[in-house]
Amino acid sequence: MLIEISFWQYHLFGKLHYLQQSQTKLKTTNHNLQENQKLLDLFFAQSLDGIFLMMLDEPVQWDDTVDKEKVLDYVFNHQRIARVNQAMLDQYGASEKQLLGLTPGDFFAHDLVQGKQIWRRFFDAGRLRCETFERKLNNTPMWIEGDYLCLYNTEGKIIGHFGIQRDISERKKREVERKKAQQKIEHLNQKLAIEVQKQTTALNQTNQKLQEEIIKYQQAQQQLRYDALHDHLTGLPNRNLLIDRLEHLIERNQNHPQQKFAVLCLDVDRFKVINDSLGHLLGDQLLIALVNRLQQCQRRGDTIARIGGDEFVILLEELTCINDAIRVSQKIQQELTLPFKLENHEIFISVSIGITFNSELYTQPIYLLRNADLAMYSAKNRGKARYEIFSPAMHNIAMKKLALENQLKRVISKKELVVYYQPIVALKNNLLVGFEALVRWQTSEQKLISPQDFIPLAENIGIIIDIDLWVLREACLQLRFWQEQGLINNPLSVAVNLSTKQFSQPDFIENIDNILAETGLEGQYLKLEITENVLIENAELTREIFKQLQQREIQICLDDFGTGYSSLSYLQNFPINKIKIDRSFISQMDDNDSNPAIVRAMMMIANELNIEVIAEGIETLTQLEFLHLLGCHYVQGYWFSPPQNREKIELWLESFSQNNLQNCNNWLLPSQENKSNVVA
């Protein structure tokens, strides 16, 4: 049966069909969107590059109608990370919570100017690929390479941006390394090219070069012969040529004893001080100028040689008598009274001269030079700027000194050192306050050697470090023993002298701590006596050591006060607890009118600086009374007791107790009757 369909029915049918088709397309589109979203999520999650999405709180317009600087300020504070993938988190070493919400201002906090320049280019182009220097959240620097795309709304305003970036720090590092390697290769290639060119040129000129080399070789041989016999700085004969000439003279003297000659050994006094203060270059100029002066004093036929840094030898031939050599020495000393003017410096120098004369006993040059050298050192020891003529006694002294040095190297292992103690008394109440520990050397032959004879030797050969520590340990141990035995009632201290070299030892404070720990003595009972040289040689290091000693309650006493040249300045710059007036000022107070004034001035300075004073070398009642009137705090000397060994000091403590001291006449000073007991 045919059914007639009206026009509107047909039209409605068409609409329904279209709707069905649209729904089908919508479902397809939704499906595709979901699939795309899955793919996007998968890409977001699996990408090895960091991916992020940043969205603005409000869209912004970016064209010439707006103030772009203000827009950038807004973007840097109101564009926030909305989404990041795991790779992005790994790049920055952060969690998602730490990155979400961060703004461009956070990432470019280290350089906002650079960040805004990059962002301006980005917004102008709408997309950007760039490399930037950024930092991880732990402040580790890194290089980032990224591709960035602006996101716009339908009105053309920027709503955010999308970015993909990767950490290229390793690549940058490799690029730098590669660039360095390339530069090195290019440098080597240049050197190789130059070397090849040199070799090519050398080959082309072989015949000519060979002849030139032969000539140079001959000249070099002549120069070598000259250099082997002459000093390179002054051009003078050196030791080799000097010995050769001495050998000829000795040989000639064997056949002609009447022909006399002499050897003068000269050494510049205090040359090291000049060299260190003005520099080696000026020191060399001074030596050259000195040679010119010496040559003015040179007689015809004499030889001047340089055999060391500032040591010269003059070989005087054809002498008629000993006075000829003396006159030459005096002429040299006279010439050196005039200053040397070098580079705006006026320098005064002197030399010490040793003289030795030939005799049939001299068969080798070395003996002549040795004896002239001994005479020169004798001149130095006797005040410098003078001459001395060699005598056999000088050689005997040198041999004894050498033997003493050899014995001294084994003095600790052979247990030949002995500590002597000298009491220190407080003048205010006449109470014993402590002792100074003084080392003595008692040889295996029971010979007692004074410190002034062996301490300088110990300094020279380096054993003074071990001697100081041995004395320090013995003194601390002894004082602790007296404390435990009850031989001393009030708190007494022991003062130990230390060498300048001790303060340059890296383990000095550690050694002090170890000795106090081993002996059980507290730091407050230990005093260290030093000389001014300790403060001069390394002021900063010494100041730090003093600080550590103060922390241990160990006091510092400046010994030999008044004998140096800059003691007063150091009293202000270093934490000195006590100064010790040198015995040379005390011993001459009775005979020298100026010494009491000097001592009085020292006391005034110490009182102004709140530093206590110890006077050493007290031997008379007059000295003691004068020091008491000045308000001197402490005294020591033979008036009370000489330095004595442990056994005698213990007897002294027992026979001359604290009560005895307080009951003495003459405002608590020992009477003449008791003095024999004190110094026994």
Side-chain angles (χ1 to χ4, degrees), residues 208-412:
Q208 181 181 352
K209 287 282 186 181
L210 182 60
Q211 187 62 35
E212 292 175 355
E213 288 299 324
I214 291 173
I215 296 173
K216 288 181 180 179
Y217 177 74
Q218 292 172 342
Q219 293 174 342
Q221 279 193 320
Q222 293 175 358
Q223 186 65 43
L224 285 173
R225 282 194 293 269
Y226 180 86
D227 291 343
L229 299 173
H230 292 82
D231 173 56
H232 73 281
L233 176 66
T234 62
L236 293 175
N238 62 13
R239 179 182 289 271
N240 294 330
L241 183 54
L242 176 69
I243 289 178
D244 182 69
R245 292 186 180 178
L246 273 173
E247 286 176 344
H248 283 90
L249 282 177
I250 291 173
E251 183 179 351
R252 187 185 69 180
N253 186 249
Q254 298 295 326
N255 300 321
H256 305 281
Q258 72 280 5
Q259 295 183 356
K260 302 296 182 183
F261 67 91
V263 175
L264 274 61
C265 184
L266 292 79
D267 188 85
V268 181
D269 299 325
R270 297 174 60 253
F271 181 73
K272 185 177 185 303
V273 175
I274 298 172
N275 220 16
D276 291 345
S277 58
L278 300 181
H280 293 279
L281 183 60
L282 203 64
D284 288 345
Q285 294 179 25
L286 178 61
L287 291 177
I288 294 171
L290 171 62
V291 169
N292 292 332
R293 295 270 184 97
L294 294 178
Q295 288 172 338
Q296 293 175 17
C297 305
Q298 184 179 10
R299 306 176 317 154
R300 177 182 253 175
D302 292 344
T303 299
I304 303 177
R306 184 188 182 205
I307 62 173
D310 60 323
E311 191 171 353
F312 299 86
V313 169
I314 301 179
L315 184 57
L316 303 178
E317 301 185 46
E318 305 297 336
L319 299 181
T320 57
C321 64
I322 188 172
N323 290 331
D324 292 342
I326 293 175
R327 278 192 290 269
V328 172
S329 300
Q330 291 172 337
K331 187 176 181 181
I332 292 172
Q333 300 286 11
Q334 182 63 33
E335 280 291 327
L336 295 182
T337 58
L338 299 175
F340 291 87
K341 295 181 179 180
L342 303 172
E343 295 186 6
N344 299 322
H345 293 283
E346 193 172 62
I347 306 171
F348 289 88
I349 65 169
S350 62
V351 295
S352 297
I353 304 175
I355 306 172
T356 186
F357 292 91
N358 72 303
S359 75
E360 64 277 3
L361 299 177
Y362 291 115
T363 59
Q364 296 293 331
I366 188 172
Y367 299 126
L368 278 162
L369 293 175
R370 180 200 65 190
N371 290 348
D373 197 55
L374 288 173
M376 181 268 292
Y377 276 107
S378 176
K380 279 190 176 293
N381 292 334
R382 297 185 65 180
K384 304 181 178 63
R386 56 182 292 135
Y387 67 86
E388 287 288 332
I389 300 172
F390 173 77
S391 66
M394 294 179 183
H395 184 246
N396 294 335
I397 292 172
M399 294 302 293
K400 289 179 181 178
K401 181 179 177 182
L402 179 62
L404 202 62
E405 285 183 0
N406 292 332
Q407 293 177 358
L408 190 57
K409 291 176 182 178
R410 297 184 294 273
V411 68
I412 295 179

Side-chain angles (χ1 to χ4, degrees), residues 27-44:
K27 289 180 180 179
T28 302
T29 300
N30 287 335
H31 177 73
N32 290 338
L33 286 173
Q34 291 176 359
E35 290 299 319
N36 288 339
Q37 183 65 40
K38 290 180 181 178
L39 288 174
L40 181 61
D41 291 342
L42 182 63
F43 171 70
F44 217 80

